[in-house]
Amino acid sequence: MNGGTESTERIALQSVSLSYGREPAVVDALTLGVRSGEFVAIVGPNGCGKSTLLRAIARLMAPASGVIVLDGRDVRDRSPRELARELGMLPQNNVAPEGMRVVDLISRGRHPHRGAFARWTSEDEAAVRRAMESTGVVDLATRDVETLSGGQRQRVWLAMALAQDTAVLLLDEPTTYLDIAHQMDALELFRRVNRDQGRTIVAVLHDLNHAARYADRLVALREGRVLIDGSPSDVLTEEAGERGFHPPCRVIDDPQKGHPLVLPRAAAPRPLR
Ligand code: ADP
Ligand code: MG
């Protein structure tokens, strides 16, 4: 947790470049701060470096240059277990070990909180139960993860990340595979853990209207750089569409909540990339 004298920036990327092997940098000298308790949506086209950025924050890859700081300390100065007590990550693609039951997979989220020979505590039990209830997977507890539908599986992975009980959550396309009702449930859940529990959330979201409705701030990436960064109404404008950030669109105020609502205009046909 931050002390009173420290900056309230929970995550700070300072001129971070990320690349795979000898390929040109995917993320290029990116500087970005996320304040404690913020809900930030990362948006941008396929392949612009969103997943790469989250992986680096979770220390799953090392920057080619620059520094990534979590709570005032370089992430490289922490052991993996220490980092996992502070930061949970829902990756874009997950594969469960063969033959693993739902409840056992979710229980793995507690691993960073336990010593090598520590017993399973009532606190672990409660965290797993809470995570299962809030993601609606209690009925699936004894199922083999491999036998679940894509959406059910996504909720199980989400439960595992929540059971980890971290102050920071990195969510990479957390609503992919979910039907519309479960998408809304998941987004409402993120907002609750953000607002009620003060957890800091950085989520890659493709649906700009979901991002506008749930996030405090949108960071739009293009080719590994920050294109626009601001509140939903700063970022989701018709001019931003003209600058190429999103497809040409009309932007209206959502009649219920007042946040911007993006209505894409039909675009000229183009090949899928
Ligand atoms: P996004 O999540 O924004 O769709 P990614 O961060 O996954 O994009 O990928 C950014 C770029 O890095 C893409 O060009 C992708 O092909 C490349 N890339 C991603 N993962 C790897 C990898 N493991 N090895 C080589 N290149 C990769
Ligand atoms: Mg991605």
Side-chain angles (χ1 to χ4, degrees), residues 39-54:
F39 186 159
V40 177
I42 308 280
V43 297
N46 291 158
C48 72
K50 304 179 297 295
S51 296
T52 303
L53 183 66
L54 291 200

Side-chain angles (χ1 to χ4, degrees), residues 31-124:
T31 293
L32 181 72
V34 175
R35 287 184 295 280
S36 187
E38 262 191 314
F39 186 159
V40 177
I42 308 280
V43 297
N46 291 158
C48 72
K50 304 179 297 295
S51 296
T52 303
L53 183 66
L54 291 200
R55 276 203 288 275
I57 298 172
R59 220 187 66 169
L60 299 174
M61 69 187 285
S65 60
V67 179
I68 301 175
V69 174
L70 179 72
D71 285 336
R73 274 169 61 208
D74 192 324
V75 291
R76 284 174 297 194
D77 293 344
R78 288 173 169 79
S79 71
R81 182 186 285 265
E82 202 185 341
L83 192 67
R85 283 197 293 259
E86 297 173 41
L87 182 147
M89 163 114 165
L90 176 75
Q92 191 173 355
N93 298 305
N94 274 312
V95 182
E98 219 172 294
M100 179 157 284
R101 294 185 316 158
V102 165
V103 63
D104 299 328
L105 184 68
I106 297 170
S107 300
R108 286 193 163 197
R110 299 303 299 164
H111 183 68
H113 296 279
R114 301 163 63 217
F117 303 103
R119 285 167 179 244
W120 185 251
T121 66
S122 55
E123 199 183 324
D124 293 323

Side-chain angles (χ1 to χ4, degrees), residues 236-239 246 249-253 260-263 265:
L236 296 177
T237 60
E238 292 182 14
E239 297 75 60
H246 50 65
C249 62
R250 270 195 68 203
V251 179
I252 60 169
D253 282 341
L261 194 60
V262 174
L263 308 171
R265 295 179 197 277

